């Protein structure tokens, strides 16, 4: 078996169709990693300017909290929610909309040419996840066959984030309340349709997501009306409104905390440090 020579195998292709999926191919896309981080921050900025305002706007408008208090509370609880429950939505966006295997690329080492060639499949392929290449030193045997996620997927998802960031920021400038979730679902679907066509699209999952967009306002409206009726007769129509509000507040807080804690600990957080 010929020995692995990373300098010989590693190339800097300018086009995706000439990309060689060697163990160090991701080093060609370090620029994309930086670009993706920039777009991710812009998406977060757009979400803070739009989604968070949708959530905290009623409380600020009612005078329950001041605007600076809303900023602080939003930053704290958005971060906690992302850590404890964000993995569920992340997993849906990562693999719940499109079958990931349509972006699988098998690269096999060709001993006659001393380079890697793309093949339809290969038995016992080494699955390499993550952006960093595997640790391979000069003089060691090459990875015979490896399975990667195609570079088109990284570029497509980065493009989707760019579109979402632009959409959120422009919508915020024009004072239009929108949803980042709706935007990223549409962006991910569009990029997959462009790159792989109709192959691998989980249409039933998408149907469930779109259906929830219409059902959730109805459910939210029902519970909002229910709690309003409870507050109306337990607090607002009482003679001593303030004292009854103080008595009912711990009950509502306990109910809210119970629901939130149950959502957090039911399946546990998947956050890994």
């Amino acid at each position: 078996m010929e020995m692995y020579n990373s300098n010989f195998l590693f190339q800097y292709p300018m086009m995706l169709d000439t990309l060689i999926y060697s163990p160090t191919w991701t080093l060609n896309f370090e620029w994309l990693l930086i670009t993706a981080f920039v777009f991710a921050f812009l998406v977060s900025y757009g979400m803070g300017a739009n989604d968070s305002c949708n959530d905290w706007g009623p409380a600020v408008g009612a005078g329950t909290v001041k605007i600076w208090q809303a900023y602080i509370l939003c930053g704290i609880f958005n971060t906690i929610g992302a850590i404890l429950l964000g993995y569920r939505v992340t997993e849906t966006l990562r693999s719940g909309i499109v079958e990931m295997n349509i972006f699988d690329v098998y690269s096999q080492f060709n001993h006659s040419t001393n380079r890697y060639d793309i093949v339809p499949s290969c038995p016992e392929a080494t699955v390499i996840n993550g952006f960093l290449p595997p640790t391979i030193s000069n003089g060691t045997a090459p990875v015979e066959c490896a399975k990667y996620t195609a570079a088109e997927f990284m570029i497509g998802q980065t493009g989707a984030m760019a579109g979402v960031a632009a959409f959120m920021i422009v919508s915020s400038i024009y004072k239009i309340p929108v949803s980042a979730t709706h935007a990223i679902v549409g962006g991910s679907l569009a990029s997959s349709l462009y790159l792989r066509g109709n192959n691998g699209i989980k249409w039933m999952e998408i149907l469930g997501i779109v259906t929830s967009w219409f059902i959730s306002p109805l459910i939210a409206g029902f519970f909002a009306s229910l709690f309003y009726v409870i507050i109306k007769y337990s607090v607002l129509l009482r003679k001593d409104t303030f004292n009854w509000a103080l008595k009912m507040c711990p009950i509502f807080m306990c109910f809210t905390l119970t629901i939130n804690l149950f959502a957090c600990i039911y399946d546990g957080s998947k956050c890994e440090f």
Side-chain angles (χ1 to χ4, degrees), residues 36-116:
F37 268 109
V38 172
F39 286 141
F41 282 118
L42 290 176
V43 170
S44 299
Y45 175 82
M47 292 176 65
N50 202 298
D51 278 2
S52 298
C53 293
N54 296 339
D55 299 331
W56 288 92
V60 175
T64 307
V65 295
K66 296 180 179 180
I67 186 68
W68 65 270
Q69 294 173 329
Y71 291 153
I72 297 175
L73 293 173
C74 181
I76 294 173
F77 289 105
N78 279 11
T79 302
I80 294 174
I83 294 174
L84 296 179
L85 291 175
Y87 74 93
R88 293 178 179 272
V89 179
T90 301
E91 186 64 21
T92 299
L93 293 175
R94 187 187 70 86
S95 60
I97 299 175
V98 180
E99 295 285 353
M100 289 296 298
N101 57 13
I102 65 173
F103 291 100
D104 287 347
V105 174
Y106 291 89
S107 180
Q108 189 167 26
F109 185 73
N110 189 329
H111 291 272
S112 60
T113 61
N114 200 34
R115 58 177 284 172
Y116 282 88

Side-chain angles (χ1 to χ4, degrees), residues 128-164:
I128 299 179
N129 297 316
F131 190 84
L132 295 177
T135 302
I136 298 176
S137 58
N138 292 331
T140 60
V143 177
E144 286 295 329
C145 185
K147 183 176 76 171
Y148 304 98
T149 300
E152 293 94 328
F153 180 75
M154 294 193 304
I155 296 175
Q157 292 300 301
T158 303
M161 283 199 299
V164 172

Side-chain angles (χ1 to χ4, degrees), residues 80-89 260-272:
I80 294 174
I83 294 174
L84 296 179
L85 291 175
Y87 74 93
R88 293 178 179 272
V89 179
N260 289 334
L261 289 175
F262 174 78
C264 293
I265 67 177
Y266 174 70
D267 195 27
S269 174
K270 302 299 181 183
C271 181
E272 295 182 0

Side-chain angles (χ1 to χ4, degrees), residues 105-252:
V105 174
Y106 291 89
S107 180
Q108 189 167 26
F109 185 73
N110 189 329
H111 291 272
S112 60
T113 61
N114 200 34
R115 58 177 284 172
Y116 282 88
D117 298 324
I118 296 177
V119 294
S121 63
C122 51
E124 299 181 357
T126 302
V127 180
I128 299 179
N129 297 316
F131 190 84
L132 295 177
T135 302
I136 298 176
S137 58
N138 292 331
T140 60
V143 177
E144 286 295 329
C145 185
K147 183 176 76 171
Y148 304 98
T149 300
E152 293 94 328
F153 180 75
M154 294 193 304
I155 296 175
Q157 292 300 301
T158 303
M161 283 199 299
V164 172
F167 174 71
M168 297 297 295
I169 293 174
V170 171
S171 298
S172 300
I173 292 174
Y174 286 97
K175 304 177 182 179
I176 303 174
V178 294
S179 171
T181 305
H182 299 183
I184 195 61
V185 168
S188 299
L189 178 61
S191 66
S192 181
L193 287 172
Y194 177 79
L195 294 172
R196 294 293 188 269
N198 192 42
N199 297 325
I201 302 295
K202 297 182 179 180
W203 290 111
M204 293 305 299
E205 183 74 22
I206 294 175
L207 178 62
I209 294 174
V210 175
T211 302
S212 69
W213 296 346
F214 295 94
I215 295 177
S216 56
L218 299 177
I219 297 176
F222 169 77
F223 281 103
S225 301
L226 177 63
F227 282 111
Y228 173 76
V229 171
I230 295 174
I231 294 173
K232 177 181 178 180
Y233 287 99
S234 63
V235 178
L236 298 179
L237 295 182
R238 300 277 186 171
K239 291 183 178 180
D240 195 355
T241 303
F242 181 75
N243 287 332
W244 276 101
L246 293 178
K247 293 178 182 179
M248 296 300 297
C249 185
I251 298 176
F252 289 119

Side-chain angles (χ1 to χ4, degrees), residues 6-22 24-31 115 133:
S6 60
N7 292 329
F8 180 80
L9 291 174
F10 184 66
Q11 299 185 21
Y12 296 89
M14 299 300 296
M15 299 293 293
L16 288 176
D17 54 2
T18 61
L19 175 63
I20 296 177
Y21 284 92
S22 68
T24 54
W25 71 273
T26 54
L27 297 180
N28 291 294
F29 293 92
E30 289 183 336
W31 62 271
R115 58 177 284 172

